[in-house]
Amino acid sequence: MSWNVSDKQLNALVAEMTVEEKVAAVSGHGLWRTAANYRLNIPELLMTDGTYGVRYSIDQIDGMQDGDGQLAAFLGVVNTDLSTGVESAFGSTRPATCFPNGSSLACSWDVGLAYDLGQALAAECQAFGVNILLGPGINIRRTPLAGRSYEYYSEDPVLSGEIAAAVINGLQQNGVGASLKHFACNNSEVQRTTMSSVVDERALREIYLAGFERAIRKGNPWTVMSSYNRLNDVQAAENHWLLTEVLRDEWGYDGVVVSDWHGIKDRPASINAGNDLDMPESGARKQDLIDAVKDGRVPMEALDRSCLRVLKLVRTARNAIRPNAEADFNKHHALSRRMAAESIVLLKNEMAILPLDAAKVGKIAVVGAAAAEPVIQGSGCATTRPTEVDIPLDEIRRLAPGATVSFHAVADFEAGSASEQSALAAIDAADVVLFFGNTEVGYDGEGSDRTHLDLHAGQDELIGRLGKRNGRIVVILFAPDAVAMPWIDSVQAVVAAFFGGQGVGKAIADVLFGRQNPCGKLTVTFPVQMEDIPGYLSYPGENGRHVYSEGLHVGYRHYDKRKLAPLFPFGFGLSYSTFEYSNIATSADRIDGSGTIRITFDITNTGSVAGKEIVQLYARPHSPRLMRPIRELKGFAMVELQPGETKRVEVTVESSDLRYYDPAYRQWLLDAGQIDFEIGASSRDIRLEKTVMVDAPALPSTILDVESQPFLVLERDFARRRFRDFLKAQLDLDDEEAAKMMEYCASSFLGIYKTVSWVAGEKISKATMAAFLDGLNKEIGRQSARQHDVMTAPFEADRTR
Ligand code: BGC
């Protein structure tokens, strides 16, 4: 079972292996295993999907392992058509708990709950003999259209990274490895194995990689899965910059990089880039690697390094196995209900139509097939065969035993149909209409993006129609991500359940009848219309390239900067209670490059029921050196309060989280100057703020080089003097000639080197000019630092007043 080998023994094993054996060790065996080596007594590992449930395919895992032959089986899963039901889609899959999907769970903003998810998934993996679960997936939800957005957490990297770290810790502290995926920029399913995500370095670092870095720093997953797409024109699984320079050299990651399934196109290139394990088994790719090692295209050290990493992973995983483990599926069903309940987001609640009073409501008209067949998950490799499913309609009937509950399909309202009149009569007579809406099942999932933000087949139109007929209409939504709501003004309440897993039916009923006070908040922005989505103009790319044209203004960063009103903003969610924010304080008035700062404030429940409030902390720099978003999430907390109760809440921010990446310096930098810490109930509802001073060495705003226009030098007095002296010395000029030359330079739009060469001939070499400008850069840096001290002095004076 376990595999007790020392590092020394592992090294000796690698030394003893033939090239073929090493290649086998860094390749899959069949679809879901690593290869055992019987000669050397190296055991195998078993891994399977997915991100919110364990999908254990009996055929694929317990059946024959005939390598390439299983491609069809694999594609069958990934291209799953859920419209015919999970069981018919999957055949022999073991039932396992289908927890709320990523886009649902994240709305809880609850890292404790995310840890519980990891722990429960680990227990089911242990019971099934699975060593590594292929999740969590944390690609940024750059567009709500993205086919896999239901698995991912947020448009924000801090939130994505925190939730992911908690899931990873829950898994790994219970003996099951995580696979943090998909690294990186797999933000759309359109041509997902060939499309190049073209992303500028700031956006990459500050948005797309930042969540991975955080999850790795706080969770240290046993494996990281490289993504299918190309990143800036290089296949992710073969991207040395991504997998070695950033992941290993900068972040210090020492686990295993595993490919996405059949994601590697050039196996020798992938191992040289740092992609250790190639999944699943491919005879052709193994042979390619053997050939490349033998003819020297892949150095033996690269193969040995990956081989050792895989063996270490096998050791870690084997020694974490809990023999005879059993999963408590009843307990997990209860957990899935609790998670769903904490993740539901109440988006609208006019005239306090919700919660419904079960004792008073007489007639309830329930509309929409999803009330009887809730859409609990998306479709793709993560799709889980649930152990049981709570049906919303049944739960509603259970909680309102005295009410008359009628149920109608959307088709019942078809104009001229036999059922139309009686269905409309039921709507007219109802005390409340509960409309269960959903996006098209099976169409929005892995392998294809949505092409619009509408609900399925006529639902949008019908909601508008019924809303006008009976003002008391509540819409409950099953959707992977944002949807448009052209009917929003005709309804009184909207409850977003996303894909809430097998317990969502009970959770919805509990919210509707006030047994659960809703507390979830959105982790993405809901746009009014598709055209408002950041990057809309360049989505989904063409000719194999998808330019992320919004740069780092992803999600709320875009809506804020463009002053665009969203349908619902990032961080938004209502409660049956109300909360008041007051008394903000910070642990210091200044923060420097290495410190942390604590922001504290009071939250009071001013409503009449107990509730939870998710509070968000945003940072807003006053005068950033480079383009920055208006505000960015830096922390969050959740507080639970009885009516009338006040609690002091604390959120800690590390100053390193206030940095931005400057590609010109190839560094993360901190701007000196004032910054606001804002406490918000959402990104558009800032309740408190406090200004603090950031101390950091100031940097020159421009870096001069030979192509810089001369005015950039001339605009600074001291630089002007240095330049004049430089020209005099290099060109042997007197004062008058130098002055003329400077005048000439002042009106030139060409680079400084070209300008001078044009007038004076090639007397000054490019290298000499570059060296001079370098000296100036340093001096400008020192000047700016002094200036920063002067600039902050009035603030100091302010504080002493
Ligand atoms: C998906 C991965 C998944 C793998 C194995 C791929 O198609 O992109 O997320 O883990 O298949 O099923």
Side-chain angles (χ1 to χ4, degrees):
M1 262 269 181
S2 57
W3 193 37
N4 293 309
V5 275
S6 64
D7 280 356
K8 208 168 141 202
Q9 284 168 312
L10 287 182
N11 281 307
L13 275 176
V14 174
E16 209 186 312
M17 288 163 98
T18 63
V19 171
E20 285 76 7
E21 284 174 326
K22 289 177 193 174
V23 168
V26 296
S27 308
H29 174 61
L31 264 180
W32 304 112
R33 287 184 168 82
T34 61
N37 182 323
Y38 297 106
R39 182 176 82 89
L40 298 169
N41 284 324
I42 300 171
E44 64 183 15
L45 287 187
L46 174 61
M47 47 197 122
T48 197
D49 288 303
T51 49
Y52 55 84
V54 186
R55 183 174 57 80
Y56 188 105
S57 160
I58 299 166
D59 290 345
Q60 292 173 13
I61 295 177
D62 300 338
M64 286 277 291
Q65 302 296 311
D66 64 345
D68 291 344
Q70 295 205 6
L71 180 60
F74 168 65
L75 291 179
V77 167
V78 172
N79 299 328
T80 304
D81 178 3
L82 268 187
S83 52
T84 50
V86 174
E87 286 187 36
S88 79
F90 285 121
S92 57
T93 304
R94 285 202 189 178
T97 312
C98 176
F99 290 101
N101 300 187
S103 66
S104 158
L105 161 73
C107 293
S108 71
W109 296 61
D110 187 339
V111 289
L113 214 50
Y115 183 92
D116 294 345
L117 168 69
Q119 186 168 36
L121 289 171
E124 296 191 13
C125 283
Q126 291 280 2
F128 293 163
V130 171
N131 309 104
I132 293 172
L133 189 68
L134 301 174
I138 64 158
N139 295 77
I140 289 292
R141 282 157 63 195
R142 175 176 173 254
T143 163
L145 300 173
R148 296 191 79 170
S149 58
Y150 71 98
E151 290 186 82
Y152 301 152
Y153 298 138
S154 174
E155 66 190 19
D156 183 87
V158 170
L159 183 54
S160 299
E162 291 292 330
I163 303 264
V167 174
I168 295 166
N169 285 324
L171 277 165
Q172 295 187 169
Q173 285 166 17
N174 292 286
V176 173
S179 195
L180 184 66
K181 67 191 188 182
H182 306 86
F183 194 57
C185 292
N186 190 176
N187 309 95
S188 154
E189 293 297 277
V190 177
Q191 298 170 21
R192 66 172 161 156
T193 59
T194 50
M195 191 65 88
S196 180
S197 302
V198 181
V199 194
D200 72 70
E201 193 173 1
R202 279 196 72 192
L204 245 183
R205 300 268 191 177
E206 295 183 29
I207 306 287
Y208 297 99
L209 300 185
F212 282 95
E213 191 275 335
R214 183 173 285 267
I216 288 170
R217 179 161 39 91
K218 296 191 161 181
N220 196 19
W222 294 358
T223 71
V224 168
M225 188 188 289
S226 56
S227 57
Y228 274 141
N229 53 290
R230 293 185 296 141
L231 174 60
N232 289 330
D233 300 333
V234 182
Q235 198 69 41
E238 294 149 25
N239 194 317
H240 188 269
W241 177 81
L242 182 70
L243 302 183
T244 297
E245 289 165 48
V246 174
L247 179 65
R248 306 233 182 245
D249 300 346
E250 288 182 29
W251 299 352
Y253 180 67
D254 65 356
V256 166
V257 174
V258 55
S259 70
D260 199 346
W261 267 230
H262 291 297
I264 292 176
K265 292 177 180 159
D266 179 339
R267 180 54 173 141
S270 77
I271 204 155
N272 282 338
N275 194 118
D276 305 302
L277 181 61
D278 175 6
M279 288 301 293
E281 182 174 12
S282 152
R285 289 197 298 268
K286 281 200 271 191
Q287 193 55 52
D288 278 354
L289 185 52
I290 292 170
D291 294 346
V293 173
K294 290 194 172 162
D295 69 22
R297 277 176 294 137
V298 170
M300 190 62 84
E301 305 82 72
L303 180 58
D304 286 353
R305 197 168 40 230
S306 288
C307 196
L308 189 63
R309 284 187 193 131
V310 173
L311 295 191
K312 283 188 175 165
L313 171 68
V314 173
R315 176 178 64 184
T316 309
R318 298 296 300 200
N319 294 340
I321 290 173
R322 302 190 175 165
N324 310 320
E326 277 179 28
D328 185 339
F329 290 105
N330 288 330
K331 200 173 103 193
H332 291 176
H333 183 62
L335 175 62
S336 80
R337 284 175 164 172
R338 184 160 67 86
M339 284 172 58
E342 306 272 321
S343 305
I344 283 173
V345 187
L346 180 63
L347 290 174
K348 180 171 181 178
N349 191 20
E350 260 175 27
M351 319 285 289
I353 185 173
L354 294 178
L356 303 171
D357 185 340
K360 288 200 188 129
V361 64
K363 289 195 176 111
I364 304 176
V366 177
V367 184
E373 279 178 58
V375 188
I376 63 168
Q377 59 180 330
S379 53
C381 66
T383 306
T384 307
R385 181 178 170 189
T387 55
E388 56 185 297
V389 177
D390 291 345
I391 306 301
L393 186 58
D394 296 348
E395 301 298 331
I396 289 165
R397 289 191 164 127
R398 210 189 314 279
L399 290 189
T404 310
V405 181
S406 60
F407 174 56
H408 317 270
V410 170
D412 293 346
F413 296 90
E414 219 165 88
S417 68
S419 50
E420 190 195 5
Q421 288 317 315
S422 64
L424 288 177
I427 297 297
D428 293 343
D431 296 316
V432 63
V433 178
L434 301 177
F435 193 109
F436 283 77
N438 60 280
T439 50
E440 187 179 346
V441 176
Y443 134 87
D444 45 358
E446 188 166 341
S448 62
D449 284 6
R450 283 189 283 167
T451 54
H452 54 74
L453 294 175
D454 305 339
L455 297 180
H456 188 40
Q459 295 181 23
D460 286 312
E461 189 265 331
L462 184 59
I463 295 172
R465 196 144 67 92
L466 300 188
K468 285 192 189 104
R469 242 187 135 93
N470 183 332
R472 293 178 57 79
I473 181 165
V474 175
V475 177
I476 299 102
L477 289 174
F478 295 114
D481 200 301
V483 291
M485 302 182 194
W487 34 258
I488 188 74
D489 294 333
S490 327
V491 306
Q492 273 193 310
V494 180
V495 176
F498 294 90
F499 291 160
Q502 65 182 51
V504 73
K506 166 97 165 53
I508 288 170
D510 283 350
V511 164
L512 293 176
F513 290 100
R515 293 181 165 222
Q516 165 79 31
N517 189 352
C519 58
K521 291 197 176 179
L522 294 180
T523 63
V524 292
T525 309
F526 274 38
V528 172
Q529 53 180 358
M530 222 164 67
E531 291 74 9
D532 295 349
I533 298 172
Y536 173 75
L537 296 177
S538 59
Y539 169 89
E542 54 196 19
N543 291 334
R545 300 185 91 233
H546 184 175
V547 177
Y548 286 24
S549 52
E550 74 283 20
L552 51 85
H553 290 97
V554 176
Y556 62 91
R557 292 161 167 86
H558 161 92
Y559 294 87
D560 285 353
K561 200 73 152 202
R562 301 277 319 275
K563 292 200 165 88
L564 214 54
L567 180 59
F568 295 106
F570 175 83
F572 176 79
L574 299 170
S575 160
Y576 296 149
S577 224
T578 45
F579 301 95
E580 224 172 71
Y581 293 56
S582 58
N583 296 331
I584 187 169
T586 49
S587 56
D589 289 333
R590 311 187 77 96
I591 180 168
D592 66 19
S594 56
T596 58
I597 190 160
R598 277 175 291 115
I599 295 97
T600 46
F601 46 95
D602 289 337
I603 303 278
T604 304
N605 182 344
T606 47
S608 55
V609 285
K612 287 185 189 164
E613 173 76 335
I614 294 163
V615 293
Q616 300 143 46
L617 178 102
Y618 297 90
R620 177 178 185 147
H622 284 202
S623 38
R625 225 187 100 244
L626 301 188
M627 170 88 79
R628 304 273 303 263
I630 289 177
R631 62 173 57 82
E632 294 186 281
L633 184 77
K634 298 297 169 190
F636 53 91
M638 148 150 349
V639 54
E640 192 168 358
L641 296 162
Q642 295 304 314
E645 193 185 6
T646 298
K647 277 187 186 159
R648 191 124 187 102
V649 182
E650 177 176 309
V651 184
T652 301
V653 178
E654 292 183 27
S655 65
S656 54
D657 278 343
L658 302 175
R659 297 174 309 170
Y660 59 99
Y661 189 81
D662 188 340
Y665 289 89
R666 299 173 148 214
Q667 276 183 49
W668 287 92
L669 298 173
L670 194 61
D671 268 347
Q674 294 183 357
I675 192 168
D676 284 348
F677 286 118
E678 302 177 326
I679 304 297
S682 84
S683 61
R684 289 286 175 105
D685 184 6
I686 303 301
R687 303 283 183 90
L688 302 169
E689 58 184 57
K690 175 120 200 303
T691 307
V692 301
M693 177 56 71
V694 177
D695 291 319
L699 286 151
S701 53
T702 326
I703 301 173
L704 302 167
D705 65 23
V706 291
E707 295 297 345
S708 304
Q709 286 169 261
F711 82 87
L712 289 168
V713 172
L714 301 178
E715 71 185 2
R716 291 179 169 86
D717 279 350
F718 80 92
R720 206 184 163 83
R721 287 197 299 277
R722 299 275 178 283
F723 186 52
R724 189 195 54 211
D725 295 346
F726 171 76
L727 291 176
K728 281 172 74 177
Q730 292 291 323
L731 302 173
D732 203 13
L733 306 178
D734 61 25
D735 281 347
E736 203 176 316
E737 288 164 333
K740 263 203 176 137
M741 182 71 143
M742 306 267 285
E743 224 171 275
Y744 193 86
C745 284
S747 60
S748 171
F749 60 84
L750 294 173
I752 191 163
Y753 169 69
K754 268 192 205 126
T755 304
V756 173
S757 307
W758 183 256
V759 191
E762 310 271 326
K763 288 189 193 135
I764 302 176
S765 74
K766 216 183 221 182
T768 308
M769 181 66 87
F772 165 72
L773 294 171
D774 240 24
L776 268 191
N777 281 331
K778 291 199 183 95
E779 209 171 333
I780 294 171
R782 286 194 295 273
Q783 294 268 344
S784 318
R786 278 202 293 278
Q787 212 174 351
H788 159 245
D789 290 344
V790 175
M791 269 171 51
T792 58
F795 180 77
E796 296 262 8
D798 230 28
R799 282 196 307 135
T800 50
R801 243 179 255 148

